[in-house]
Amino acid sequence: MALRDKIHNPVSMVLRALRPTDVGTLDQLLAHASPKAPYPERIEWLVSVLRWVTRRGPTGLEGVPGGERRHPATTRLHYALGVLERNPGWKTAVARTLRSIVRDLDALELFCETGLPREASFLNEAFERVWLRLLPSDPYRAELGTVLVALFPEEAHAEWLESLDDDALDRVGALLAHDEGDETLAGRPWNPMVDDVPDALLLLTSELRATGLSTSIRKRIAAASFRDLPFFDLTRAAEEVVAASRQSPGALADAAARLEERLDRCARALDQARAHLDEFGVSVRIVYLLERMDAQIHRTRTLVAMLGGGRHPAFVAAFLARLVRDTQGRRRLSTLLETNTRLLAQKVVDRSAETGEHYIARTREQYQEGFRSAAGGGLVIVGTVFGKFVALAAGLAPFVQGLLVSFNYAASFVLMQLSHFTLATKQPATTAPALAARMQAVDTQAGLKALVDEIVHLLRSQMASILGNLVVVVPGVALVALGSIHLLGLPPIGTDKADKLIAEHALIGATPLFAAITGVLLFVSSVAAGTADNWFVLRGIGPGIARSRRLAFVFGRRFPRELAAFLKTHVSGLAGNVALGTLLGMTPELLTFLGLPIDVRHVTISSGKVAAAVATLGPAVLLELRFWHAAAGLAAAGLFNVGVSFALALALAIRARGVEAPQRTALWSALLRRLRERPRSFLFPDPS
């Protein structure tokens, strides 16, 4: 009796199912199936059986015919079915227990919600997925969505379900129907799913219709009137399918064809809404709604197929596998973020690509023009360096000091933008998306060569920008510092500060790390630029300013239109430059406050600071080893600034455009080949 009680204990059964088990354990599980047990115990029993079937490792059932050709779980399933064939009493109890579980599940929830996004907004769905990962939930509620997680806890189980052969599926179907008769349980048919399919179809199309007719979606779809939208008659078409399913197969086929045509029109309308987002700005909330509606359209088609006779075991297994895969995917926050931010990433990338095109010097003349533009930027940076010295010398609180430095940087970068000057290392974050736009053609030799040429042009452009900045910044800062020392007797910084500046820029130290962090900040500023441009377009800010009667009354009728045109052209650059200035100025202060003494290292600004330190200490420092360590550190800073910002921007662009791994591999091979054959081309234009 004690042994029997132990076997009946569901907790003990589950623990044994988690451990390597033998045939005896399977016998015990099958022998104690009970359709009259409480619902949680029946679910625990089924979980134990499925864990025996799907456990990893050798089957230990080499004698089962065909086992060497099947999935191990399928071999175990065949074995378990064979055991039931040899034990009719067990078979009857197992069949009735399985039917009782099906009877108690919420079939409407299965068809309308399981595996689909449930919440009405992106943020709500994101929070829901976080709670699913962090908070415990009852795995044995009578909802198939939660039960599926307990029965099939791994996405690999979906692959097994899809691989089930017809023989296994037929045997499982026969098991469910074994000794069925006119069986009802608690006055209800054991399989309510058959009757719930029509209700689920009506419920799902009603939700789809309501979302499609909402203002957020409707205004992004071109239609002559509200009634012309394809979602308007969707519920009526679904009602016709349900009514026809009770008449004849021919009537059902005709009604299903009409509903299918309506669903095709809905899918095209969603594509039209996405095109509208791509042109007029992306909203993550709208993208989430569109993805949710896509999933609902696909599920609606599945329900129509089930009404039309799609109840063959293979169809049911494929549907169950899809539910398992969707349910597991719905628990991952990364899947939601990847799916719903792809369009936003693409919009940011497209804007960056458009901005970055004019930074790529493809000819000798453009190379020279880039050098001159960078020289102008270097002139502005001379003032930026001394502006930072003044802000630091004020002795203010760290937060206020960070604000002053941020304003100094941002004002300088905006001045450069309006003067059409260039800041070195800022371009890679905007030019990388322009390169990714050409990656789609790398499967051809001509396309691959063109892309390699573009990357070489980009690197040469960077060389021109860095040289242009430094050729003005270094002597410019040194001359101003020497003038201040000899004419005013006032060095820009003290000797202790000068010694510290040279020491902290040494190659052996934190300079490479700080330069890499600065590369991340450069990338983030480019994302801020693209996001601001998307927001400007999405909210219709430009047309609103152009038609502002208040601005026209105060400044004249031309001013609003000119301001709108100016912002349309410059809002991305202004946002990116202000963001970069704020990031460079405030990041060190905020991280230091958090106990992380991290600084930034921008090659141009750092070179100006080291030049001021050399002017303060005198020319003799040029002969000292510490100066050359600092010079090597500045070279590394330039490399890490460019490399990190370019790599991050290129990775974002590749992900947004869906570039495959083989294309990336081919690109790297072609670049290495070009480096071996023509290394000079990466630095300077070919002689004409």
Side-chain angles (χ1 to χ4, degrees), residues 356-381 416 420-431 456-474 522 602-605 607 638-639 641-642 645 682-685:
E357 278 288 344
H358 72 275
Y359 285 126
I360 301 178
R362 299 179 177 86
T363 65
R364 179 176 289 273
E365 291 74 18
Q366 291 175 341
Y367 184 89
Q368 294 171 350
E369 176 59 30
F371 180 86
R372 289 192 293 269
S373 175
L379 188 62
V380 175
I381 293 298
M416 271 190 269
H420 304 288
F421 294 152
T422 302
L423 176 66
T425 74
K426 190 173 182 293
Q427 302 97 313
T430 55
T431 49
V456 171
H457 294 154
L458 168 63
L459 295 176
R460 284 206 303 253
S461 303
Q462 274 307 290
M463 177 57 66
S465 297
I466 293 176
L467 289 177
N469 274 178
L470 296 184
V471 80
V472 173
V473 167
V474 172
L522 289 162
H602 187 279
V603 59
T604 303
I605 299 173
S607 297
L639 179 63
N641 287 168
V642 172
S645 62
F682 282 78
L683 301 178
F684 304 103

Side-chain angles (χ1 to χ4, degrees), residues 23-139:
V23 175
T25 303
L26 175 65
D27 288 346
Q28 293 170 347
L29 290 172
L30 298 181
H32 290 86
S34 175
K36 296 182 180 180
Y39 173 78
E41 292 186 14
R42 281 177 280 141
I43 291 295
E44 288 177 350
W45 168 83
L46 183 57
V47 167
S48 299
V49 172
L50 282 175
R51 286 185 178 176
W52 186 92
V53 170
T54 60
R55 71 174 191 242
R56 293 190 178 96
T59 63
L61 305 171
E62 288 75 9
V64 179
E68 67 280 356
R69 301 188 306 271
R70 298 190 184 107
H71 191 287
T74 305
T75 299
R76 294 193 191 95
L77 177 61
H78 276 285
Y79 180 85
L81 292 170
V83 171
L84 292 177
E85 292 294 335
R86 295 189 295 272
N87 296 273
W90 293 1
K91 182 176 181 180
T92 299
V94 168
R96 290 180 176 177
T97 303
L98 292 176
R99 289 196 294 268
S100 71
I101 292 173
V102 173
R103 183 272 321 265
D104 289 339
L105 289 175
D106 185 346
L108 198 61
E109 184 267 348
L110 159 71
F111 296 128
C112 294
E113 295 186 8
T114 300
L116 300 180
R118 299 188 183 190
E119 300 299 327
S121 70
F122 173 81
L123 288 179
N124 288 345
E125 181 71 20
F127 281 122
E128 173 71 13
R129 297 191 183 205
V130 172
W131 301 145
L132 284 174
R133 304 296 294 183
L134 298 180
L135 299 181
S137 60
D138 180 5

Side-chain angles (χ1 to χ4, degrees), residues 237 240-241 244 247-261 304:
E240 292 175 357
V241 170
Q247 299 173 7
S248 66
L252 177 58
D254 292 340
R258 289 192 294 272
L259 178 57
E260 184 67 28
E261 186 274 335
V304 172

Side-chain angles (χ1 to χ4, degrees), residues 603-620:
V603 59
T604 303
I605 299 173
S606 295
S607 297
K609 292 160 65 176
V610 170
V614 170
T616 300
L617 296 174

Side-chain angles (χ1 to χ4, degrees), residues 426-501:
K426 190 173 182 293
Q427 302 97 313
T430 55
T431 49
L435 298 179
R438 294 172 172 81
M439 279 195 176
Q440 306 295 344
V442 297
D443 52 348
T444 65
Q445 287 297 323
L448 185 60
K449 181 180 182 302
L451 180 58
V452 170
D453 288 340
E454 283 294 278
I455 294 179
V456 171
H457 294 154
L458 168 63
L459 295 176
R460 284 206 303 253
S461 303
Q462 274 307 290
M463 177 57 66
S465 297
I466 293 176
L467 289 177
N469 274 178
L470 296 184
V471 80
V472 173
V473 167
V474 172
V477 170
L479 287 174
V480 173
L482 289 173
S484 177
I485 293 171
H486 293 292
L487 298 179
L488 303 177
L490 184 65
I493 53 177
T495 55
D496 291 341
K497 177 64 175 177
D499 289 330
K500 182 180 178 181
L501 275 175

Side-chain angles (χ1 to χ4, degrees), residues 188-472:
R188 297 169 51 197
W190 74 268
N191 188 6
M193 297 185 184
V194 175
D195 296 329
D196 284 341
V197 171
D199 293 342
L201 179 62
L202 295 178
L203 179 58
L204 200 57
T205 51
S206 297
E207 292 180 357
L208 190 56
R209 179 182 186 270
T211 308
L213 296 180
S214 64
T215 302
S216 299
I217 304 299
R218 189 180 70 248
K219 70 180 183 179
R220 290 172 170 82
I221 302 173
S225 69
F226 173 77
R227 294 177 179 273
D228 291 332
L229 290 168
F231 303 98
F232 185 79
D233 290 329
L234 193 59
T235 305
R236 183 185 305 171
E239 291 172 346
E240 292 175 357
V241 170
V242 172
S245 68
R246 303 188 179 101
Q247 299 173 7
S248 66
L252 177 58
D254 292 340
R258 289 192 294 272
L259 178 57
E260 184 67 28
E261 186 274 335
R262 181 71 59 177
L263 291 173
D264 287 340
R265 290 181 56 196
C266 291
R268 290 194 295 271
L270 297 186
D271 291 337
Q272 190 177 17
R274 289 190 181 89
H276 184 280
L277 288 175
D278 188 50
E279 181 178 358
F280 295 100
V282 175
S283 165
V284 174
R285 182 178 67 87
I286 303 301
V287 173
Y288 170 77
L289 288 178
L290 295 175
E291 295 289 341
R292 185 167 176 254
M293 293 170 73
D294 266 337
Q296 290 173 330
I297 288 175
H298 179 78
R299 182 63 58 83
T300 300
R301 286 178 167 141
T302 302
L303 295 179
V304 172
M306 295 181 73
L307 272 180
R311 298 170 191 166
H312 185 275
F315 180 90
V316 175
F319 179 53
L320 183 60
R322 185 66 194 177
L323 289 178
V324 171
R325 188 171 280 112
D326 289 345
T327 300
Q328 293 295 335
R330 207 185 75 80
R331 295 170 61 83
R332 290 195 295 267
L333 183 61
S334 60
T335 304
L336 179 71
L337 294 175
E338 180 179 358
T339 301
N340 290 276
T341 58
R342 188 185 304 116
L343 267 182
L344 179 59
Q346 184 172 340
K347 184 68 178 177
V348 171
V349 162
D350 288 342
R351 177 56 189 166
S352 296
E354 179 183 341
T355 303
E357 278 288 344
H358 72 275
Y359 285 126
I360 301 178
R362 299 179 177 86
T363 65
R364 179 176 289 273
E365 291 74 18
Q366 291 175 341
Y367 184 89
Q368 294 171 350
E369 176 59 30
F371 180 86
R372 289 192 293 269
S373 175
L379 188 62
V380 175
I381 293 298
V382 172
T384 307
V385 171
F386 286 99
K388 181 174 182 179
F389 288 154
V390 172
L392 296 178
L396 301 173
F399 183 80
V400 178
Q401 180 176 281
L403 288 178
L404 284 178
V405 173
S406 298
F407 177 80
N408 176 51
Y409 284 153
S412 300
F413 299 156
V414 169
L415 177 60
M416 271 190 269
Q417 175 193 352
L418 299 180
S419 304
H420 304 288
F421 294 152
T422 302
L423 176 66
T425 74
K426 190 173 182 293
Q427 302 97 313
T430 55
T431 49
L435 298 179
R438 294 172 172 81
M439 279 195 176
Q440 306 295 344
V442 297
D443 52 348
T444 65
Q445 287 297 323
L448 185 60
K449 181 180 182 302
L451 180 58
V452 170
D453 288 340
E454 283 294 278
I455 294 179
V456 171
H457 294 154
L458 168 63
L459 295 176
R460 284 206 303 253
S461 303
Q462 274 307 290
M463 177 57 66
S465 297
I466 293 176
L467 289 177
N469 274 178
L470 296 184
V471 80
V472 173

